[in-house]
Amino acid sequence: MEELSISINNIWVLVAAFLVMFMQAGFAMVEAGFTRSKNTANILTKNLMDFAIGSLAFWMIGYSIMYGKSILGLIGTPSLFFNDNGIGDYANMTDLMFQTVFAATAATIVSGAVAERTKFNAYLIFTVVITVLIYPISGHWKWGGGWLDQLGFLDFAGSTLVHSVGAWVGLAGAMLLGPRIGKYSKGKAKAIPGHNLTFGALGVFILWFGWFGFNPGSQLGAAGNENTVAIAHIAITTNLSASAGAIGALFLSWFKYKRPALSLALNGALAGLVAITAGCDIVSPGGAVIIGLIAGILLVYSVEIFDQVLKIDDPVGAISVHGVGGAFGTIAVGLFATEGGLFYGGGTDLLIAQVIGVVAVFAWAFGTGWVLFKILKSTIGIRVSKRVEEEGLDVYEHGESAYN
């Protein structure tokens, strides 16, 4: 029976990992659809390399930095080329696979924030650094038993540790890159429509589907009644929050702009998914609806603030979806957690731990992202030339076009 339980756990975690890997296709479609056709091949290549390079880099050293023996609660003991065929509740190699697809997710989020103007060679260097250093270190603080874990910080599947990390690095990159040519005229933001909302919608549906591996898979087991109940609960809270996020963003856009905007509704669904990821195991279905609804509303206002007030050009809304949505969802755990949440009589201890975790990860991810992009900007450069940007990165960076 013990071997059967291990086999069931192992199969479930692997299937969940495969679902999360398929989310790379969703990210590729969302980013391609929300940007212009002249940059589609560039975007697809970046998403492909996120996963390919990220997989190798995380296996080589990133995994050990994240899960190795803790050094002062800050970083795991590094070792090269993970090759442990041991078994716990499931195979250790299965854990490597599951954690690899999460690392690739953090890396690919940045792509959308810096789309349509970034040098490809600089982007590849960034992909290596985030998967071997930036993501594993902050991930170790919680999931590797580091100082945030000891503080009592909760982030079940990575609202902050995965999604916000990618978004805050993307924020640093977008700020140092500057806006796309033609984005602002006389201080006013101009819309640069994506070329294919069908791709964008398909991508969101793929991501929504993949999230049923991302969140329920983070239970890291399927055998036994406890895991069975937990997986079902997580699936429901995940779906409800996404649905509420889409509805909240759609109706707010309808009210504000007099039109029900598909692009904002799609990002609203993603914001709901990101927000519930931290507490999907510990909030009620009703709490999930409230979290998703607020996340969808925040998404609309956040996109507007970054775009029109802060003048930070984020072509696909990645910073608002994954950064703002992730931070809100993580803090919301301190309010809506049925065990320890403020609204359930748990006091403020958990809420304070959540705020500390969000601030600490922001400082780490944004700070290291800023240093990384600054070094690249001062050396090989991070932005393509004016001519390349105007005519498209596909032909000049890759020598081919997505459409012929």
Side-chain angles (χ1 to χ4, degrees):
M1 290 301 295
E2 182 181 358
E3 287 191 0
L4 179 61
S5 294
I6 291 172
S7 296
I8 292 171
N9 291 339
N10 198 69
I11 291 170
W12 167 243
V13 176
L14 280 175
V15 169
F18 303 152
L19 286 172
V20 178
M21 186 271 173
F22 188 51
M23 289 172 70
Q24 291 292 133
F27 282 117
M29 290 296 96
V30 168
E31 188 180 347
F34 283 6
T35 52
R36 291 167 290 185
S37 60
K38 63 184 179 180
N39 299 311
T40 302
N42 173 261
I43 285 163
L44 297 178
T45 308
K46 287 192 300 178
N47 279 269
L48 174 65
M49 288 299 103
D50 280 333
F51 190 77
I53 293 175
S55 293
L56 290 173
F58 197 68
W59 163 69
M60 287 178 183
I61 191 170
Y63 182 84
S64 65
I65 289 176
M66 192 161 176
Y67 291 103
K69 184 178 179 181
S70 188
I71 302 173
L72 301 176
L74 298 174
I75 185 173
T77 303
S79 62
L80 295 174
F81 308 113
F82 182 84
N83 188 25
D84 183 351
N85 286 309
I87 295 178
D89 292 333
Y90 48 89
N92 293 344
M93 285 293 190
T94 295
D95 192 61
L96 171 63
M97 185 67 215
F98 188 75
Q99 303 305 334
T100 294
V101 295
F102 273 57
T105 297
T108 204
I109 288 167
V110 184
S111 177
V114 300
E116 300 202 284
R117 61 218 194 264
T118 306
K119 284 186 174 181
F120 185 66
N121 59 350
Y123 184 82
L124 294 184
I125 294 171
F126 145 76
T127 298
V128 172
V129 175
I130 194 171
T131 48
V132 303
L133 186 67
I134 299 175
Y135 168 74
I137 288 179
S138 54
H140 177 82
W141 295 350
K142 166 60 184 175
W143 293 337
W147 70 275
L148 277 180
D149 188 49
Q150 297 163 25
L151 184 68
F153 173 76
L154 298 179
D155 189 358
F156 183 74
S159 287
T160 285
L161 297 175
V162 179
H163 294 277
S164 286
V165 165
W168 300 142
V169 175
L171 173 61
M175 291 173 68
L176 285 170
L177 275 165
R180 290 167 291 173
I181 294 171
K183 176 62 181 175
Y184 296 99
S185 177
K186 298 179 180 179
K188 292 186 177 181
K190 296 175 62 179
I192 301 179
H195 83 283
N196 196 324
L197 277 178
T198 303
F199 281 179
L202 174 62
V204 169
F205 278 116
I206 291 172
L207 288 169
W208 197 328
F209 176 70
W211 234 284
F212 294 122
F214 205 98
N215 286 359
S218 292
Q219 180 67 16
L220 300 178
N225 290 343
E226 184 177 341
N227 283 328
T228 300
V229 171
I231 290 171
H233 177 86
I234 293 165
I236 290 297
T237 56
T238 298
N239 192 56
L240 289 175
S241 185
S243 301
I247 291 169
L250 180 85
F251 280 93
L252 179 58
S253 71
W254 203 343
F255 174 77
K256 278 179 64 67
Y257 309 121
K258 311 306 178 187
R259 293 288 188 276
L262 172 61
S263 58
L264 288 173
L266 292 170
N267 267 342
L270 295 182
L273 288 163
V274 170
I276 199 60
T277 295
C280 53
D281 66 321
I282 202 171
V283 304
S284 69
V289 171
I290 296 171
I291 289 170
L293 187 65
I294 296 173
I297 292 170
L298 281 176
L299 178 279
V300 176
Y301 286 111
S302 178
V303 167
E304 187 175 278
I305 290 169
F306 277 111
D307 197 44
Q308 299 181 17
V309 179
L310 300 177
K311 302 291 193 295
I312 296 171
D313 185 14
D314 176 6
V316 304
I319 300 166
S320 296
V321 168
H322 300 277
V324 175
F328 162 70
T330 305
I331 293 171
V333 173
L335 301 173
F336 290 95
T338 54
E339 297 179 15
L342 180 64
F343 294 162
Y344 289 81
T348 59
D349 289 350
L350 178 57
L351 180 61
I352 292 170
Q354 297 303 102
V355 172
I356 291 172
V358 167
V359 172
V361 172
F362 169 79
W364 166 254
F366 179 78
T368 52
W370 184 276
V371 171
L372 171 61
F373 278 107
K374 195 73 171 177
I375 291 172
L376 291 173
K377 186 176 183 178
S378 302
T379 52
I380 64 173
I382 57 176
R383 184 161 184 154
V384 297
S385 68
K386 183 174 182 290
R387 179 178 179 181
V388 172
E389 184 175 346
E390 288 178 338
E391 297 187 21
L393 279 69
D394 285 4
V395 174
Y396 285 94
E397 287 274 271
H398 304 280
E400 56 189 348
S401 175
Y403 301 98
N404 293 297

